[in-house]
Amino acid sequence: LSRCEGVVTTDKRGRFTLSNLMPGTYFVHVLADNNVKEWTSKYVDNISVISGETKDDIELRLIKGGIITGKVIGEDTGRPIPGQTVHAFGPDRMLNTPFGSDVTDKNGEYQIRMFPGKTEVKVFPSTEYNNQIPKTTVDVVEGGRVTHVDFTYKRGISIKGNIVVPDGHPLGGVTISNAGFLGNMDWKGTVHTKHDGTFTLNGVIPGEEIELKAIIEEEKLRGFVQQKMYPGDEIEIRLEKYDTAIIE
């Protein structure tokens, strides 16, 4: 169900009930898991409900769909990478919800069953690899197979850093995130400082530029840094006081 408002399992007759929903417009789909590996289903969307209303005519039809297969490989080693999560998204990217998923096996291979249409395939890497999320778009047809949808990862390095506040004391629990305005920085992710104000970035590509930001709104503190990173480098973010403004 959209917005993760509810997840249920069908009974022996294939019936399901999603209750205690907030009024709004939803879409419903079959979650991809090991219980339905032989089937898939297109979602049903634009289901509008108001307070006290019951919708009892929602039908999800299981189909065979098509198969997407591929492999995830390390660029530095040429070897397969197991344990990487691969998602398949529908043609209109409904709320960024994946309709098919798999985890690469010991050979780095995955297989996803998906309903027909343009499908975006994305890999979400483990922390030792580049935090970029590689993706590609393929056409899935009923009963067909799309093979060799492969992805290659660069292995990143770990970079240590720390937060410096105006009075010099360490500050834990500060969120450090990517500040690339165009979303084109190689390191993408979010980390939090430890109690001593330090943090670690994993999956940074040597020689690539990263942009980081940290904001503590309640104390009106913020910091920004842009820097190319190499093995052994450390990074420091200095927080400074800022004033608020209003644009009307």
Side-chain angles (χ1 to χ4, degrees), residues 37 40 64-71 86-91 98-104 108-123 135-151:
K37 278 231 178 248
T40 186
K64 287 294 186 180
I67 298 292
I68 304 169
T69 64
K71 179 180 289 189
V86 186
H87 288 316
F89 296 84
F99 293 99
S101 300
D102 197 13
V103 176
T104 55
E109 297 175 346
Y110 70 91
Q111 175 175 299
I112 298 174
R113 188 178 296 274
M114 188 66 180
F115 56 78
K118 284 195 177 297
T119 299
E120 186 178 82
V121 185
K122 299 177 72 172
V123 186
K135 62 184 178 180
T136 190
T137 300
V138 299
D139 288 309
V140 177
V141 299
E142 180 69 22
R145 295 181 71 90
V146 184
T147 60
H148 302 296
V149 184
D150 301 334
F151 297 91

Side-chain angles (χ1 to χ4, degrees), residues 19-65:
S19 56
N20 299 319
L21 301 176
M22 296 290 291
T25 301
Y26 297 87
F27 73 95
V28 181
H29 68 99
V30 175
L31 289 173
D33 61 26
N34 290 329
N35 296 319
V36 289
K37 278 231 178 248
E38 299 304 314
W39 301 94
T40 186
S41 170
K42 200 172 189 311
Y43 54 83
V44 178
D45 61 353
N46 293 321
I47 305 170
S48 296
V49 294
I50 60 176
S51 182
E53 183 182 18
T54 298
K55 295 278 188 179
D56 58 3
D57 57 350
I58 307 303
E59 183 177 83
L60 293 167
R61 289 186 172 271
L62 295 179
I63 58 175
K64 287 294 186 180

